[in-house]
Structures are given as structure tokens and as C-alpha cells.
Amino acid sequence: MNITLGDVETTALIPVAIKANETLRKNPRIRDEVAVEIINTLGIDTEPFDKFMSHEGVIARTVMLDRMVKDFIAKNPSAVIVNIGAGFDNRFSRVDNGSISWFDLDLPDSIELRKKVFSAHERVSMISGSVFEESWCKAVKEAVEKTNSKVLFIAEGVFMYFTLEEIKKLLSVLKTNFPHATLIAEQNNPLMVKNQKYHDTVKNTNAVFKSGTWSGREIADLCEGIRFVEEHSFNEEMKKHSLRGWLFAKILPKMNDRWAVFEW
């Protein structure tokens, strides 16, 4: 199958390659059979996209975010969840409780390809468009009004490809259209931006890190009314599974990405 993706969208091949390879291991920490199907269907060579540190980071962030989303759903059983920059993510299948409404939002080339590899589901909608344009909000608003439920936005592997000004614009779109919501967003740090040419997998794409923060509070400060709740380094999970992961967490505790939670 011919693949045509933009520079940033191409980075979606990193987590799907890693999830596929992890699924095929003897004792996988996560299972994503769809990722395996995608890799096989698209005929993707996973070698450039699956290196040790990226593998451990993607598995850690997946385990952690699955847990956080499940916790949110447990408190809000009919939640409306928007997956910003969905790529080939298959999280819905791992967290679905039978009642949530799910939206996968991404740029047109990603959604076009996503529709070829994901089956339709009555509670999952794919939205093609830019997160900076408010047109995508209509369908989500309708779902929120219909269910009278809380809305959760997740942004995995997204913010680092935006400038802080772009992140500010994104937050403004979210807050303007959804007066009360929760956002869980992956954060990287300024040193990773400065040294991105050494990143073990992103360097194999044409994508560029555009921003980084030392604390989620820097993101909250971009938009009035956004409250920083907490954040957790991927090190918390990575150090459990390998000596290299433990050493990385010990020697470079602030270098890894984090999950940051915001509310308004």
C-alpha cells in the first residue's frame, strides 16, 4: 500500500512499529493486534522506528496513558474523549467501557490512511482537520450535549511539534469551545529540542521538535483559566523494566518526557 504522510504525521509510524513489535514478544506489556496488522498491511520496515530508548518510552507512555484514561472513564462512564493527533493509535479498544464516545482527530493525510486500516465503530468518529481550526469542535459539542458528559482531550506525541504560540492557540480553541474539560498532554523538555538530532528514531524522519518545557505550569500559563494539575515522568514506568531504563531515570531524571494534566 502506498503511504503518503507529512513530516510530522510520519512520526506516527514510530509508536505503531513499536507497539506491533512489543505485541509479538513472548510476554508483551501491551497488546495491539491492529498495530501488527498495520505494519504487515503497509509493509513497513520497523527497524528505523524501533530503537531501545524509543521502544521503552513508547511502551511506558502507553501503559501510563491507558491507566490515566481508564481512571477518567471510571469516574465519568459516558465520557467524551478526543484523541488529538490520533495517527494509528488504537487506545479506544483498550479502554472502552461500552459507553464512552471517542473522536480521533488528525490531519487529512493521516485520517485518510487511518480509515483504510481501522474498522468503523458506532461510538468512534474520525475527524479530518487541523486542531487549530474550530470546525472540528461541532461534532464533539453535539456528543457532549447529547450525553451531558465530561470531555477529555489527550495529546500524545503532539505538543513537541508545535511552537508555544501554536500550543497557546490550541488551548484557546479548546477552552473557547469547551468551558469545562480535562487535557492530558505529553511534554518534552528544552534539552530534547536542542539535541533532537540525536533522538534515536525521530532523527529518521523529517519532523522537527519546536518546543519544550521544564514544567507543565509553563503550558498552563499560556492561556488564562487553564489549571496545571500534575505531571508524571515516563521514567516512573521505564525504570521498572530494564537496567538501562533504571539508569536513565537515575542519571537523567529530567530528560524524559512526561504526562501533564490540565483542567479548566
Side-chain angles (χ1 to χ4, degrees):
M1 184 184 295
N2 184 41
I3 304 174
T4 303
L5 291 170
D7 292 343
V8 173
E9 295 93 299
T10 300
T11 61
L13 297 176
I14 297 171
V16 75
I18 289 170
K19 290 172 185 176
N21 288 343
E22 178 71 22
T23 299
L24 296 174
R25 289 184 173 184
K26 185 177 180 180
N27 296 301
R29 286 164 286 178
I30 63 163
R31 294 182 183 274
D32 192 335
E33 301 297 342
V34 173
V36 177
E37 292 178 16
I38 290 171
I39 291 299
N40 291 335
T41 300
L42 301 181
I44 295 170
D45 176 12
T46 63
E47 198 278 333
F49 304 117
D50 190 359
K51 307 296 184 180
F52 179 81
M53 287 305 295
S54 282
H55 188 104
E56 293 303 297
V58 166
I59 298 305
R61 80 179 189 182
T62 301
V63 169
M64 294 172 75
L65 184 56
D66 280 0
R67 185 187 307 134
M68 295 167 81
V69 174
K70 285 179 181 178
D71 287 346
F72 186 90
I73 292 171
K75 297 173 185 176
N76 307 281
S78 58
V80 174
I81 301 175
V82 181
N83 190 8
I84 299 171
F88 296 107
D89 185 53
N90 190 32
R91 180 160 283 105
F92 172 81
S93 69
R94 297 193 299 274
V95 304
D96 181 35
N97 66 345
S99 301
I100 60 173
S101 298
W102 189 277
F103 293 86
D104 287 308
L105 170 64
D106 213 326
L107 294 170
D109 54 354
S110 291
I111 291 297
E112 181 181 353
L113 193 52
R114 185 180 178 87
K115 287 180 177 178
K116 294 179 180 179
V117 294
F118 279 87
S119 301
H121 191 288
E122 62 181 356
R123 287 182 289 105
V124 178
S125 302
M126 299 186 200
I127 305 178
S128 174
S130 168
V131 71
F132 303 117
E133 299 173 359
E134 299 187 19
S135 56
W136 64 267
C137 298
K138 181 180 178 182
V140 180
K141 284 182 180 179
E142 291 174 351
V144 173
E145 292 171 359
K146 181 179 179 180
T147 60
N148 192 29
S149 302
K150 290 190 175 182
V151 60
L152 169 67
F153 297 98
I154 58 177
E156 181 178 24
V158 173
F159 275 30
M160 61 281 296
Y161 300 110
F162 294 159
T163 64
L164 289 179
E165 191 61 33
E166 288 172 326
I167 295 173
K168 179 178 180 179
K169 184 176 181 180
L170 183 156
L171 294 175
S172 178
V173 169
L174 298 185
K175 192 170 185 298
T176 299
N177 288 275
F178 304 94
H180 303 285
T182 299
L183 166 66
I184 304 175
E186 180 180 351
Q187 308 287 297
N188 68 338
N189 67 60
L191 283 180
M192 292 189 71
V193 178
K194 185 177 180 180
N195 295 284
Q196 59 185 287
K197 65 181 179 180
Y198 302 112
H199 194 283
D200 61 354
T201 53
V202 175
K203 70 181 181 182
N204 296 323
T205 73
N206 292 319
V208 176
F209 293 151
K210 295 183 178 179
S211 68
T213 61
W214 290 114
S215 168
R217 290 183 176 83
E218 296 172 50
I219 299 297
D221 289 345
L222 294 174
C223 183
E224 185 177 356
I226 301 290
R227 182 170 69 90
F228 169 70
V229 179
E230 61 180 352
E231 61 186 352
H232 295 277
S233 170
F234 295 176
N235 285 335
E236 294 179 19
E237 185 67 26
M238 280 178 59
K239 67 183 181 183
K240 300 176 184 177
H241 302 289
S242 72
L243 177 59
R244 286 174 68 181
W246 182 85
L247 286 172
F248 184 86
K250 193 76 172 177
I251 299 171
L252 299 168
K254 294 185 178 182
M255 273 298 289
N256 215 335
D257 284 12
R258 304 102 59 204
W259 281 120
V261 181
F262 307 89
E263 293 179 347
W264 60 90

